[in-house]
Amino acid sequence: QIKANQIVTEEIIKKYVNVFKVINNITAEEEEEVMKELHAKLLVRMDRGSCIKAKDHVTWYYSAKKEINPVYWERYRAYLAKKTNLNAAVIDALDKSTDEMMDLLGNPKIKEAYSRRGLVIGDVQSGKTSTYIALINKASDAGYKVIILLTGTIEKLRRQTQGRLDEGFIGLDSTTLIRDKNKKLFGVGEIDGS
């Protein structure tokens, strides 16, 4: 039995899958499918994915990172480590992949105009929301002033996305602000309410 707030490791998953395999006499293909499903649901690891970049892309983020005070990112990283079941390897992979994405964005400090477009695609429960929340936090740290998050047309999913953004970036429950004008800190707000 896995306890609430227990960090699930690769070893724990393998142990439970082996027991499941013996009891249910599943094939190697079925075992692989069960492992993939558990990795996706439990976020034990995060695949890095791929990026397509322009031939004339000029890297900027890695050198600029020395001058950036990562207040939002560090707050989100601490939140992920303390309040979620993500292990350190997943958080490190998220950090590296969003650094790569930040480098593909334009530098908000330069005067010249530029145009960038991006799209994050992934399976259900693959970490897309955590990825774009991490990216939003890092973009804010880098100096972006306006960030627009486009969501789908289904209101229930839009509210779910707003809740995750409140939790991972804003640190306030926006539904309480609308109803009773009181600040209710949660998510990253509990890590640093400033």
Side-chain angles (χ1 to χ4, degrees):
Q1 186 100 24
I2 297 174
K3 300 172 189 161
N5 293 334
Q6 177 183 357
I7 295 176
V8 180
T9 63
E10 187 75 28
E11 293 75 32
I12 290 172
I13 288 179
K14 284 179 183 176
K15 175 184 158 191
Y16 282 102
V17 169
N18 282 333
V19 171
F20 180 77
K21 179 171 70 172
V22 170
I23 293 171
N24 295 291
N25 195 26
I26 62 174
T27 66
E29 292 81 24
E30 291 169 324
E31 178 184 0
E32 185 178 333
E33 192 62 35
V34 169
M35 290 292 286
K36 281 183 186 175
E37 186 74 20
L38 287 172
H39 282 123
K41 292 229 184 287
L42 299 171
L43 280 178
V44 173
R45 69 171 186 238
M46 181 179 282
D47 294 330
R48 293 292 297 278
S50 305
C51 292
I52 300 170
K53 49 181 134 175
K55 291 178 184 173
D56 61 347
H57 172 70
V58 177
T59 188
W60 70 276
Y61 184 68
Y62 297 103
S63 59
K65 197 172 171 181
K66 297 175 203 131
E67 306 298 319
I68 294 171
N69 183 9
V71 174
Y72 291 107
W73 164 245
E74 289 301 329
R75 181 176 77 153
Y76 185 55
R77 183 184 189 107
Y79 165 77
L80 292 174
K82 292 178 184 174
K83 303 286 186 176
T84 70
N85 288 329
L86 296 183
N87 63 43
V90 171
I91 296 171
D92 289 344
L94 179 65
D95 186 18
K96 286 184 178 98
S97 65
T98 51
D99 276 359
E100 290 174 21
M101 289 180 209
M102 281 299 300
D103 192 58
L104 294 172
L105 298 176
N107 184 346
K109 305 284 187 195
I110 64 171
K111 303 280 185 223
E112 299 84 34
Y114 59 87
S115 176
R116 298 284 190 279
R117 292 163 194 83
L119 178 65
V120 177
I121 300 172
D123 293 326
V124 173
Q125 295 294 318
S126 64
K128 292 181 302 297
T129 306
S130 297
T131 299
Y132 66 68
I133 291 173
L135 191 62
I136 288 169
N137 278 286
K138 287 184 177 189
S140 295
D141 287 333
Y144 279 84
K145 302 293 183 206
V146 177
I147 298 169
I148 300 170
L149 174 61
L150 301 175
T151 65
T153 58
I154 300 170
E155 181 60 20
K156 182 178 178 184
L157 294 176
R158 192 212 60 76
R159 274 191 307 243
Q160 182 182 15
T161 299
Q162 180 66 55
R164 292 278 305 273
L165 204 57
D166 287 351
E167 183 178 40
F169 176 63
I170 298 168
L172 294 170
D173 183 350
S174 61
T175 60
T176 62
L177 290 173
I178 294 167
R179 280 195 312 261
D180 58 22
K181 306 291 186 237
N182 291 320
K183 280 184 166 182
K184 182 180 178 211
L185 296 174
F186 84 120
V188 293
E190 292 175 341
I191 302 295
D192 177 1
S194 63

